């Protein structure tokens, strides 16, 4: 649905986006991550035709954004970082303006009502935008992007300023949208990406450093070899046992103490599930195992590792400050990060220059059933009845 | 374009700006009309419309100052630029909305001439061949001229508004630019050709000043003559300013 190839954006001598290529399939929810100033917003602005690219091409549903901006823009609903609201308008006027601006052909009254129900702004429908709270403003911004039911929806940090309940609602909304629309989502909140997105693209210093399915990353995150175990028993003997147990390559005592129980951190060798073995070994000695906690990597760790890997100077400075324990912990993420980065770099190199024929693009049917939102609304009503 | 036009028209009337403009326009035109005709015992509307043009320098920026600078400040231009409308359509929508308000005010200000016509009718005596009162072709010509000059001023105001993020600086710069155009025209007129006392003697400089001074071409309209070259000049000046506004936006995309 979206095809970005060799996109470059220069601001004078500064290269904000440096030769990035990726594709987003129809119905996919793509999470777009990156530290501040990585080029996320620039990329999104180019996708939506707000900025032009220095070189490279962007095709939305086969339509080039620079060659045929009007038709490309017709396919996109965009929520910028700061919702573009006119403070002097009511929600109704504003959405009606967005409707006219996009030159929609749906039933206006019904369409706007449906959208308001989906993003839950019906109760402020007649209020002035300047009097709304940040959360409501954000939701009106989202509503504006949904007007006209465009097949591609681009959200730049949609959940900023929302309360936790609203965040969950918006995430559910994005997931629902993802069924029929192509969604690109930029965010700083990594759990959000994990919860909502099918695929993650991480960008740093204008280059794509990771492009991976979310499930692959999650799986990697779960396959940990490290555990915190809490064992009730003489500390020295337990530690000796742990260190001598075949399959464990590292063990140390952590400071936390609970009665006669100590917490130990162990790391198993690659490809072994140490937990059963550990249980039986302890049972033999009659040292009760009080707790076993898998030290999973969080997606944050991976993100930081990936970003650090692509910015060596910063990583080196950081490494100096790290304690031994953190050093050990970080090793695994670094491995994973380098895998991801290498794979992405390889993919980028293989990215083909070939140009698809776009003649048929105009006749592609991008229409989405008119009742995308209606069905959702009905579902909600059903739930209430239950 | 229609969506933008409707939105602009609405915004003129939700904000005080629209009302302020209409109020100031009508009050000022009424005062000028009074002063230049009734007070000076004259039926000639020439100096009334000349002064009206001068006052436009101050009040047209009221109309145009927020057109683009406000959008830029509120970041709403991002919505317009990512919507499926062309930049030309966006600029034209805004220009036409401002023109509608301006033309409406100009039409409403014709009320000022009623006393003149009434007085003229009383004083004139067709039997004795005495005709008094304002000359209708002159009035119509002047109105057309003022409308065209207003279009140029509005287009220039919109251009300047598109280059700044602050309403106030947009207004001040617009006033300055329009005033400079006018002052140059006045300097050009100082002294006389025959006596050799021209302030500006250089022919090239005179030509350039004449080319950019919008007001000098108004004279023929004042006498009720439809001057096609002047009409073409005003329309082209308007379109040049609109085109430059479009370029400003294109340029920003490519920057």
């Amino acid at each position: 649905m979206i095809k970005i190839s060799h996109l470059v954006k220069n601001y004078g001598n500064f290269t904000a986006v440096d030769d990035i290529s990726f594709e987003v399939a129809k119905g996919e929810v793509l999470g777009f991550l990156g530290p501040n100033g990585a080029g996320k917003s620039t990329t999104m602005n180019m996708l939506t035709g707000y900025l032009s690219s220095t070189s490279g091409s962007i095709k939305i549903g086969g339509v080039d954004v620079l060659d045929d901006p009007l038709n490309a823009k017709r396919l996109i609903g965009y929520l910028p970082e700061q919702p573009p609201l006119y403070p002097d308008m009511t929600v109704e006027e504003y959405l009606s303006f967005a409707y006219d601006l996009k030159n929609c052909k749906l039933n206006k009254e019904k369409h706007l009502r449906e959208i308001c129900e989906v993003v839950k702004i019906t109760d402020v429908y007649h209020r002035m935008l300047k009097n709304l709270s940040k959360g409501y403003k954000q939701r009106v911004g989202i509503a504006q992007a949904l007007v006209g039911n465009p097949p591609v929806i681009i959200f730049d940090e949609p959940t900023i300023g929302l309360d936790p309940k609203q965040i969950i609602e918006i995430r559910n909304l994005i997931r629902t949208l993802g069924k029929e629309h192509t969604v690109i989502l930029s965010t700083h909140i990594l759990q959000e990406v994990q919860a909502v997105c099918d695929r993650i693209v991480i960008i740093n210093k204008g280059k794509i450093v990771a492009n991976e399915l979310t499930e692959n990353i999650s799986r990697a995150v779960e396959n940990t070899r490290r555990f915190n175990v809490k064992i009730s028993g003489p500390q020295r003997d337990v530690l000796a046992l742990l260190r001598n147990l075949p399959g464990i390559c590292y063990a140390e005592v952590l400071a936390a103490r609970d009665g006669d129980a100590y917490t130990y951190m162990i790391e198993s060798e690659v490809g072994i599930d140490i937990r059963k073995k550990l249980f039986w070994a302890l049972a033999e000695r009659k040292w009760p195992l009080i707790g076993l906690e898998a030290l999973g990597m969080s997606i944050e760790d991976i993100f930081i590792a990936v970003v650090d890997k692509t910015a060596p100077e910063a990583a080196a400075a950081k490494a100096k400050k790290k304690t031994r324990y953190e050093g050990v912990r970080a090793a695994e993420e670094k491995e994973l990060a380098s895998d991801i980065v290498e794979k992405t770099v390889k993919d980028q190199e293989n990215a083909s220059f070939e140009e698809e024929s776009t003649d048929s693009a105009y006749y592609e049917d991008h229409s989405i059933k008119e009742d995308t939102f209606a069905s959702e609304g009905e579902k909600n009503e059903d739930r209430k009845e239950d | 374009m229609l969506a933008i036009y409707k939105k602009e028209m609405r915004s003129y009337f939700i904000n005080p700006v629209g009302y302020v403009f209409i109020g100031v326009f009508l009050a000022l035109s009424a005062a000028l009309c009074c002063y230049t005709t009734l007070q000076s015992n004259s039926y000639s509307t020439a100096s009334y419309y000349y002064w009206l043009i001068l006052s436009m320098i101050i009040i047209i920026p009221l109309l145009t100052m927020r057109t683009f600078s406000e959008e830029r400040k509120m970041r709403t231009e991002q919505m317009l630029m990512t919507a499926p409308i062309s930049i030309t359509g966006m600029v034209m929508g805004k220009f036409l909305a401002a023109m509608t308000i301006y033309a409406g005010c100009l039409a409403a200000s014709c009320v000022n001439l009623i006393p003149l016509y009434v007085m003229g009718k009383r004083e004139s005596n067709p039997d004795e061949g005495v005709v008094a009162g304002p000359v209708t072709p002159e009035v119509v010509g002047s109105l057309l001229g003022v409308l065209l000059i207003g279009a140029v001023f509005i287009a220039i105001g919109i251009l300047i508004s598109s280059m700044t993020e602050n309403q106030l600086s947009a207004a001040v710069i617009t006033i300055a630019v329009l005033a400079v155009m006018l002052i140059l025209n006045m300097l050009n007129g100082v002294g006389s050709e025959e006596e050799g006392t021209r302030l500006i003697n250089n022919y090239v400089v005179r030509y350039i000043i004449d080319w950019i001074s919008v007001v000098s071409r108004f004279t023929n309209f004042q006498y009720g003559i439809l001057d096609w070259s002047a009409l073409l000049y005003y329309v082209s000046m308007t379109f040049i300013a609109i085109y430059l506004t479009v370029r400003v936006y294109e340029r920003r995309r490519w920057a």
Side-chain angles (χ1 to χ4, degrees):
Chain A
M1 193 70 197
I2 300 172
K3 190 174 174 188
I4 296 177
S5 42
H6 303 283
L7 190 67
V8 178
K9 178 73 183 175
N10 293 328
Y11 291 112
N13 289 327
F14 175 69
T15 305
V17 172
D18 189 1
D19 192 25
I20 68 172
S21 308
F22 63 90
E23 277 182 57
V24 191
K26 192 168 185 174
E28 194 173 31
V29 181
L30 179 88
F32 203 48
L33 299 182
N36 291 330
K40 276 180 311 205
S41 289
T42 306
T43 308
M44 297 213 153
N45 281 335
M46 282 192 282
L47 264 174
T48 51
Y50 180 59
L51 288 176
S52 62
S53 49
T54 306
S55 68
S57 80
I58 302 170
K59 288 211 170 83
I60 312 277
V63 183
D64 193 297
V65 173
L66 282 186
D67 289 348
D68 190 358
L70 294 195
N71 277 320
K73 284 173 184 174
R74 209 159 275 150
L75 303 174
I76 302 176
Y78 180 40
L79 169 69
E81 210 168 345
Q82 199 177 328
L85 306 179
Y86 291 98
D88 291 333
M89 287 188 180
T90 65
V91 175
E92 184 186 12
E93 284 168 342
Y94 178 66
L95 290 181
S96 146
F97 168 60
Y99 182 94
D100 291 342
L101 195 64
K102 294 183 181 185
N103 209 356
C104 303
K105 298 280 183 289
L106 307 170
N107 180 336
K108 188 169 181 174
E109 186 85 2
K110 185 165 159 266
H111 182 59
L112 295 186
R113 283 280 171 193
E114 275 164 13
I115 288 173
C116 286
E117 257 158 51
V118 169
V119 295
K120 303 208 167 52
I121 50 173
T122 315
D123 47 338
V124 295
Y125 198 52
H126 295 291
R127 283 179 57 187
M128 289 276 248
L129 286 170
K130 64 180 167 195
N131 297 332
L132 297 183
S133 68
K134 179 105 173 64
Y136 270 117
K137 280 182 185 162
Q138 191 70 25
R139 283 194 269 175
V140 175
I142 294 173
Q144 165 269 128
L146 299 182
V147 167
N149 221 342
V152 176
I153 295 173
I154 298 177
F155 286 138
D156 203 348
E157 314 210 351
T159 53
I160 261 185
L162 299 180
D163 67 41
K165 189 167 167 285
Q166 293 166 344
I167 290 181
I168 291 169
E169 283 168 8
I170 294 300
R171 283 185 197 166
N172 288 336
L173 169 66
I174 294 172
R175 229 175 282 144
T176 317
L177 289 172
K179 283 174 196 154
E180 296 206 35
H181 302 67
T182 308
V183 182
I184 296 186
L185 178 75
S186 115
T187 177
H188 284 127
I189 307 161
L190 294 146
Q191 289 89 344
E192 190 160 288
V193 177
Q194 215 167 2
V196 174
C197 300
D198 302 320
R199 202 146 58 85
I200 298 177
V201 167
I202 301 178
I203 181 170
N204 191 26
K205 305 210 163 172
K207 282 185 186 297
I208 291 186
V209 292
N211 183 352
E212 192 65 69
L213 292 175
T214 312
E215 48 186 287
N216 290 352
I217 291 185
S218 300
R219 201 178 301 136
V221 167
E222 279 158 20
N223 276 341
T224 177
R225 298 187 282 126
R226 281 172 306 182
F227 301 93
N228 269 354
V229 282
K230 203 168 178 187
I231 300 164
S232 171
Q235 187 200 342
R236 222 176 261 178
D237 297 345
V238 173
L239 192 60
L241 170 79
L242 290 176
R243 286 199 170 142
N244 293 326
L245 200 67
I248 292 184
C249 60
Y250 180 80
E252 71 168 8
V253 188
L254 298 180
R257 184 187 166 161
D258 176 16
D260 63 341
Y262 292 86
T263 306
Y264 306 85
M265 195 200 79
I266 59 168
E267 186 173 342
S268 69
E269 280 163 13
V270 181
I272 296 175
D273 188 354
I274 196 72
R275 286 173 290 186
K276 285 180 190 165
K277 219 187 221 175
L278 178 70
F279 173 79
W280 290 118
L282 291 171
E284 217 169 86
R285 307 280 174 98
K286 296 207 172 6
W287 290 331
L289 179 65
I290 294 174
L292 177 68
E293 180 199 355
L295 286 179
M297 283 176 278
S298 65
I299 193 157
E300 278 94 344
D301 294 334
I302 294 176
F303 174 72
I304 291 165
V306 164
V307 170
D308 278 351
K309 179 154 176 57
T310 48
E313 337 72 69
K318 215 184 252 175
K320 273 183 200 162
K321 286 184 199 158
K322 271 183 184 162
T323 62
R324 179 165 152 265
Y325 169 64
E326 278 172 330
V328 174
R329 280 214 61 188
E332 205 167 333
E333 283 106 35
K334 273 185 195 154
E335 267 169 47
L336 189 61
S338 48
D339 285 353
I340 293 175
V341 172
E342 273 161 30
K343 197 176 153 211
T344 309
V345 169
K346 226 176 275 170
D347 286 352
Q348 293 260 308
E349 281 164 4
N350 295 341
S352 54
F353 279 90
E354 82 209 40
E355 284 290 308
E356 288 166 24
S357 80
T358 53
D359 301 340
S360 61
Y362 290 94
Y363 309 105
E364 256 179 59
D365 180 21
H366 298 299
S367 62
I368 285 177
K369 273 179 278 147
E370 200 180 317
D371 56 355
T372 316
F373 303 118
S375 60
E376 181 63 13
E378 280 158 23
K379 268 182 237 156
N380 286 342
E381 276 162 28
D382 293 347
R383 237 173 271 152
K384 270 177 213 157
E385 281 162 20
D386 294 345
Chain B
M1 186 173 104
L2 199 66
I4 300 268
Y5 176 79
K6 269 160 67 183
K7 185 224 119 203
E8 282 295 306
M9 286 304 280
R10 195 161 45 198
S11 92
Y12 278 127
F13 290 104
I14 337 179
N15 280 296
V17 175
Y19 296 104
V20 168
F21 177 80
I22 294 168
V24 171
F25 188 108
L26 293 181
L28 210 60
S29 67
L32 286 174
C33 189
C34 241
Y35 187 73
T36 54
T37 56
L38 300 177
Q39 286 274 335
S40 5
N41 287 325
S42 155
Y43 283 122
S44 164
T45 53
S47 80
Y48 161 52
Y49 283 111
Y50 183 74
W51 279 100
L52 195 61
I53 290 169
L54 293 196
S55 63
M56 284 308 121
I57 292 176
I58 314 274
I59 64 174
I60 285 227
L62 275 180
L63 204 58
T64 59
M65 62 183 185
R66 55 195 306 286
T67 42
F68 282 105
S69 54
E70 187 75 355
E71 301 266 6
R72 218 169 141 190
K73 204 171 175 187
M74 305 303 298
R75 301 285 190 100
T76 43
E77 63 165 15
Q78 219 160 354
M79 178 182 183
L80 305 182
M81 298 280 285
T82 56
I85 51 162
S86 64
I87 297 176
T88 316
M90 177 173 88
V91 177
M92 281 307 283
K94 282 172 179 285
F95 171 74
L96 289 178
M99 271 312 278
T100 309
I101 302 274
Y102 175 71
C105 285
L106 199 59
S109 72
C110 291
V111 177
N112 298 333
L113 302 174
I114 292 175
L116 286 185
Y117 276 101
V118 173
M119 296 281 287
K121 201 168 185 189
R122 266 184 214 160
E123 277 183 21
S124 59
N125 192 342
D127 303 336
E128 290 173 24
V130 179
V131 181
V135 187
T136 307
E138 278 184 17
V139 172
V140 174
S142 301
L143 278 174
L144 181 65
V146 175
L147 189 72
L148 289 170
I149 290 180
V152 177
F153 284 6
I154 287 174
I156 290 173
I158 287 178
L159 171 64
I160 288 164
S161 177
S162 76
M163 292 191 283
T164 157
E165 208 169 296
N166 185 324
Q167 287 189 39
L168 199 66
S169 47
V172 170
I173 296 170
T174 311
I175 292 175
V177 169
L178 297 181
V180 165
M181 283 166 80
L182 218 83
I183 290 165
L184 282 178
N185 181 49
M186 286 172 176
L187 290 179
N188 228 7
V190 172
S192 78
E193 194 78 69
E194 296 81 36
E195 293 169 24
T197 53
R198 282 275 190 223
L199 183 67
I200 300 163
N201 280 315
N202 190 313
Y203 180 74
V204 178
V205 175
R206 289 187 64 84
Y207 184 79
I208 292 171
I209 289 176
D210 186 59
W211 193 81
I212 58 170
S213 68
V214 176
V215 189
S216 63
R217 283 165 183 75
F218 180 59
T219 329
N220 279 339
F221 287 103
Q222 267 179 330
Y223 298 128
I225 301 165
L226 183 55
D227 182 350
W228 286 102
S229 69
L231 188 118
L232 195 67
Y233 170 82
Y234 288 137
V235 173
S236 355
M237 284 295 268
T238 308
F239 276 94
I240 287 171
I242 289 175
Y243 173 76
L244 287 177
T245 313
V246 174
R247 292 306 306 165
V248 166
Y249 267 81
E250 289 281 356
R251 167 85 177 69
R252 193 165 317 138
R253 278 183 63 205
W254 290 93

